[in-house]
Amino acid sequence: MAYLKTLKKQWILAAAIWLCSIPFGANATWEPTVLNQHPFNVDAAWDMALGEHTFWFAYYGSDGRLYVRRPDGSELGFGATDRQTALSGLAMAVADDQLSVLWRDKLPEKTLYFLPNLARTGDAPSPIVVGGPESEALTRLKIARQGNITDFLWLGEKGREEPKAFKNEQKTSAKPDYNLYFRTAADNGKSLSPIEKVVTGFYPAWIIGTEIIPIFSWTAIDGQLAMAMRGFDRIKKTFGPLVKITDAPEIGPIFEAFESKGRWFLVWVGIYNGTQNDFLLEGVYSDDKGQTWTRFGFEPLRGVDIGGNLSVAVDGKGHILLAVAGSRRHQDAKSKQDVYLLRSDDNGSSWAAPYQPRAIDTRYTQARFPAVVMGPKEGMALLVWEDWRDIRPSVYVSASTDYGVSWSDAVPVNHPGSERIGLDFRTQTIGVIGDRYQLLAKRYEDDDLKVVKQALLYTFTWDELQQRVKSWRAEAASPNASETHLREQIAHYWQAMIDDQYETTYASQDPFFRTDVSYKSYRERMGIIKYHSYKVAEVNLLRPNLAKVTVEVEASVPGFKSSTTGQVYTQPKKARIFTETWLFLDGDWYHEYYDEYNDYRHSQY
């Protein structure tokens, strides 16, 4: 980390001007299926695809190849082995329990490959080239199958216009100056339609219909940002004219289209008033196949910086559930991401107030990457998200039996606090096969939380999950979680600081710090400040795993000569009162490292 390179200099300065922070700061009963057989490249695309009876998974290995996992657990590898490759992008579709896959190889030129109808067993078909220099495909890919026809939609760089200013442009982070391309394949790719440049844009979105495929774009019409669409007629096999839906603002990365009970929806995050803090989740819907549109917005979420993904669940009867995550960080720098559930019982004509599934006392930590799905029985729905209430990431789940009107208490799918399990907004995350939920997650290698070791599949019914959680809760609570033991740990830590016992103080630091910083590096920065006494003024146990501790210490800088300037820094004995954080992890309390000079913690909750 960059700050470590200048840490010693900063510690000297911090000691001199007294700005420094005074100190430095269960086994799961339910094992998921590990999906990847090869080392995982989590920075590349990965996802699952569900058939009526089959589960498929695909990911990129650290060797750059694309691996597809069949329902029986066997893997197939794709990508040339006799030349340099740069595979990326991933889209999958399942029909008749056969898998079709679309991906890109950037080398030697941007080329799209299509794997048609991979069966559960037997030899794999050969990939077919479906796009090349005529589109220069990027990684935003979509694929869908209906009967014998496969449809493709992708973002391409070919023909990109020079960036320009638009009349209603506010502050541009992205411009709709790329192009959306489309084609179809029949007979397992033996018959390919011509590639068509559909519309300029940046985010491909579509609705797969039996007669028409509307393709949506955030684009520019007559020099002004707008939402627009073109419809592909399946019978005539032609596109209609470009139709302007509505004027558009700058938008964030969410741009999703879906259909519910015959009504078409397009939803996005608008950025208004030329600022990065006036956000609005909004959209349009049409009841007449795109001839007229009604615009709507979720005003209670205005100002929420929504990121990651929009998850959509519909039942075809007019019940719609949307899940997003966001924060008000532009209004409050300490605001954490939280999950919001939006519900309509009248096919989007009106919406209930946003629902936050987490209790208020858990919102001091972040929650992100939500996904929602309709359950196997009428009225059932499941909401999942990545939750940091246990200091380490876990996956939490809440269930509804009345189309999202009410929700159960949230429960974890993994043993909370002892594992590092997260989600990825780029994946489907949650689905249903038969009466069982299929949940896709990832396991981090260590507390650095940078390397993903495994892709995981949890399969369960809601009743099974509740029973497993009951067994976890039945485990005896650790006696070390008490305030009495916390006070013992505080005393142990601060007495070691006074006695210059740095091996002890290092062992008392939180595991995230110890994963990132070796004892040698820690020891090299200690000793500038001499601690003489301490007194615990207050212990506030905010949560069973988090406490705020107010401490008064006496400390001095007896004299330290800078190796770079030769200047000697000193400070007389002085008292200071401050509040520090203690975390309960792995059966004990640990001092949370906080670098006040850089306003930095290694923990990420």
Side-chain angles (χ1 to χ4, degrees):
M1 296 183 181
Y3 78 90
L4 288 176
K5 297 179 180 178
T6 57
L7 190 55
K8 195 165 187 177
K9 177 181 177 182
Q10 293 169 353
W11 266 75
I12 295 170
L13 178 61
I17 63 177
W18 208 255
L19 288 176
C20 67
S21 171
I22 290 292
F24 263 94
N27 293 328
T29 58
W30 180 18
E31 280 300 312
T33 300
V34 176
L35 297 175
N36 57 302
Q37 296 179 15
H38 293 79
F40 199 92
N41 179 8
V42 74
D43 293 327
W46 58 295
D47 209 347
M48 67 178 180
L50 305 182
E52 185 177 358
H53 307 101
T54 54
F55 173 91
W56 301 83
F57 176 69
Y59 68 100
Y60 287 101
S62 58
D63 58 2
R65 301 197 75 202
L66 173 64
Y67 292 97
V68 176
R69 184 186 192 273
R70 280 172 152 161
D72 64 1
S74 61
E75 276 193 0
L76 299 171
F78 297 93
T81 57
D82 58 351
R83 62 172 176 83
Q84 188 176 2
T85 62
L87 275 58
S88 58
L90 177 65
M92 296 187 288
V94 180
D96 300 324
D97 282 333
Q98 293 182 322
L99 179 71
S100 295
V101 187
L102 183 67
W103 72 91
R104 181 190 81 148
D105 190 349
K106 190 177 180 180
L107 299 176
E109 60 183 5
K110 299 182 181 75
T111 303
L112 273 182
Y113 289 93
F114 165 48
L115 181 70
N117 296 5
L118 177 64
R120 287 184 282 185
T121 60
D123 295 335
S126 298
I128 299 168
V129 173
V130 294
E134 66 285 316
S135 67
E136 297 181 356
L138 299 173
T139 59
R140 291 187 174 131
L141 314 175
K142 290 185 177 294
I143 185 173
R145 283 185 56 189
Q146 281 200 350
N148 189 38
I149 303 298
T150 305
D151 304 302
F152 311 102
L153 177 65
W154 67 92
L155 186 68
E157 197 168 19
K158 183 72 172 182
R160 182 187 181 192
E161 300 178 4
E162 288 297 319
K164 62 181 71 174
F166 303 113
K167 294 177 183 178
N168 51 343
E169 178 178 278
Q170 302 286 342
K171 182 178 180 182
T172 300
S173 57
K175 289 180 181 290
D177 50 8
Y178 293 84
N179 290 290
L180 273 57
Y181 291 87
F182 175 88
R183 88 181 311 176
T184 64
D187 298 325
N188 295 334
K190 296 176 182 177
S191 175
L192 295 172
S193 72
I195 293 176
E196 298 200 46
K197 184 169 71 172
V198 182
V199 60
T200 59
F202 198 76
Y203 303 107
W206 63 1
I207 295 172
I208 300 300
T210 56
E211 299 177 355
I212 187 172
I213 302 176
I215 294 177
F216 301 93
S217 184
W218 173 61
T219 187
I221 298 177
D222 298 328
Q224 181 165 314
L225 293 173
M227 299 301 175
M229 64 158 281
R230 289 187 70 188
F232 178 75
D233 189 312
R234 285 191 179 277
I235 305 301
K236 298 179 181 179
K237 299 182 180 180
T238 58
F239 275 96
L242 181 67
V243 176
K244 179 180 177 180
I245 296 173
T246 185
D247 289 337
E250 291 285 327
I251 68 172
I254 288 178
F255 188 75
E256 296 289 341
F258 64 93
E259 184 267 340
S260 173
K261 198 181 177 183
R263 177 175 282 182
W264 291 354
F265 287 84
L266 179 65
V267 180
W268 64 87
V269 175
I271 304 173
Y272 286 92
N273 299 323
T275 68
Q276 289 292 314
N277 58 16
D278 192 0
F279 303 96
L280 180 63
L281 181 67
E282 59 181 339
V284 291
Y285 65 78
S286 173
D287 292 317
D288 51 16
K289 305 301 182 184
Q291 296 183 53
T292 60
W293 294 87
T294 300
R295 191 159 177 168
F296 64 95
F298 298 95
E299 284 295 334
L301 294 184
R302 183 179 285 276
V304 176
D305 185 2
I306 295 173
N309 64 313
L310 169 71
S311 180
V312 180
V314 299
D315 69 346
K317 300 178 181 179
H319 298 101
I320 305 173
L321 299 175
L322 307 179
V324 296
S327 74
R328 297 186 183 274
R329 61 188 178 91
H330 294 284
Q331 296 89 354
D332 178 3
K334 295 183 178 180
S335 174
K336 301 285 188 177
Q337 282 198 87
D338 201 19
V339 173
Y340 298 88
L341 191 284
L342 303 164
R343 173 180 59 85
S344 175
D345 295 327
D346 56 9
N347 211 28
S349 295
S350 63
W351 296 86
Y355 169 70
Q356 292 174 263
R358 302 202 307 161
I360 293 177
D361 66 347
T362 65
R363 296 178 195 168
Y364 67 93
T365 62
Q366 66 171 325
R368 59 185 185 177
F369 308 154
V372 64
V373 67
M374 293 296 182
K377 297 180 181 179
E378 187 171 348
M380 290 187 66
L382 200 74
L383 176 65
V384 306
W385 64 91
E386 181 182 295
D387 199 311
W388 292 67
R389 72 181 70 185
D390 305 305
I391 309 303
R392 292 187 175 108
S394 294
V395 176
Y396 272 72
V397 177
S398 182
S400 173
T401 58
D402 52 13
Y403 298 105
V405 175
S406 60
W407 293 87
S408 69
D409 291 338
V411 297
V413 301
N414 58 282
H415 202 293
S418 63
E419 296 185 279
R420 309 163 191 88
I421 308 298
L423 301 178
D424 192 316
F425 72 90
R426 300 169 299 175
T427 69
Q428 182 179 339
T429 301
I430 188 71
V432 178
I433 297 179
D435 65 346
R436 305 186 68 78
Y437 293 103
Q438 316 287 317
L439 192 154
L440 182 63
K442 60 186 179 183
R443 175 179 283 143
Y444 291 98
E445 186 172 65
D446 55 32
D447 282 323
D448 188 66
L449 302 178
K450 293 179 180 177
V451 177
V452 173
K453 183 178 181 180
Q454 296 166 331
L456 305 176
L457 174 66
Y458 293 89
T459 65
F460 55 89
T461 66
W462 175 242
D463 289 340
E464 288 173 348
L465 179 57
Q466 288 180 302
Q467 290 301 315
R468 287 184 170 94
V469 171
K470 286 180 181 179
S471 70
W472 292 336
R473 289 175 175 169
E475 296 174 3
S478 171
N480 289 345
S482 67
E483 181 179 329
T484 299
H485 184 67
L486 170 59
R487 287 181 176 272
E488 292 172 354
Q489 289 297 92
I490 296 168
H492 182 65
Y493 172 79
W494 277 107
Q495 190 58 52
M497 290 291 283
I498 292 170
D499 297 338
D500 299 334
Q501 298 295 318
Y502 298 125
E503 288 187 6
T504 298
T505 60
Y506 178 77
S508 297
Q509 302 294 345
D510 68 76
F512 310 101
F513 172 80
R514 287 183 281 115
T515 298
D516 285 348
V517 180
S518 68
Y519 172 71
K520 180 181 178 182
S521 296
Y522 172 79
R523 180 64 185 89
E524 288 175 351
R525 68 183 77 165
M526 300 303 291
I528 299 172
I529 300 172
K530 174 62 181 176
Y531 297 94
H532 303 281
S533 67
Y534 79 93
K535 181 173 68 176
V536 178
E538 183 182 14
V539 174
N540 186 3
L541 205 60
L542 298 180
R543 292 275 299 168
N545 60 357
L546 186 145
K548 294 292 184 179
V549 178
T550 302
V551 182
E552 181 179 349
V553 302
E554 279 191 323
S556 65
V557 179
F560 186 86
K561 185 176 182 179
S562 170
S563 61
T564 56
T565 66
Q567 184 176 353
V568 176
Y569 296 91
T570 62
Q571 281 283 345
K573 185 187 296 186
K574 184 177 181 180
R576 186 186 177 199
I577 298 176
F578 56 90
T579 299
E580 57 189 13
T581 302
W582 284 76
L583 306 174
F584 189 80
L585 287 163
D586 305 326
D588 215 336
W589 287 99
Y590 291 93
H591 179 267
E592 182 183 61
Y593 164 79
Y594 174 56
D595 177 359
E596 186 176 355
Y597 187 87
N598 293 289
D599 188 23
Y600 181 79
R601 293 175 172 85
H602 291 258
S603 56
Q604 300 178 34
Y605 61 89

